[in-house]
Amino acid sequence: DAMGMRVGPDVAIMGVDDLDISSTARISLTSIRQPYHRIIDLAVNALIDAIENRHHADVTLLLEPELIVRNSTRRMR
């Protein structure tokens, strides 16, 4: 607010990882939520497979993130 601009109405701000604090009323930060549990499962399974079958683990997957829209990107009326 130092330059007369407000987050949401005048400037959009977005975060990554959807930290718990992002959802608090004071912050209300739009964020990208990544499927970390799925990423971990896939990585561990690829590693175990590579170890058991003695081959190089080469995994390429496209996982869908989730957009969590909050006040930091909403225009206030």
Side-chain angles (χ1 to χ4, degrees), residues 7-32:
V7 173
D10 304 315
V11 178
I13 296 178
M14 192 167 121
V16 178
D17 293 337
D18 195 33
L19 302 174
D20 289 339
I21 197 168
S22 299
S23 64
T24 61
R26 180 173 169 88
I27 295 175
S28 192
L29 180 66
T30 293
S31 191
I32 296 289

Side-chain angles (χ1 to χ4, degrees), residues 5 9 14 17 21-22 26 39 44 46-48 52 55-57 59 69 72:
M5 299 181 88
M14 192 167 121
D17 293 337
I21 197 168
S22 299
R26 180 173 169 88
I39 293 168
V44 169
L47 180 59
I48 290 170
E52 289 177 347
H55 67 79
H56 176 74
V59 178
V69 178
S72 68

Side-chain angles (χ1 to χ4, degrees), residues 52-71:
E52 289 177 347
N53 297 301
R54 298 176 186 252
H55 67 79
H56 176 74
D58 186 15
V59 178
T60 302
L61 295 170
L62 179 62
L63 300 176
E64 195 77 27
E66 182 180 359
L67 176 63
I68 309 300
V69 178
R70 296 191 181 99
N71 292 334

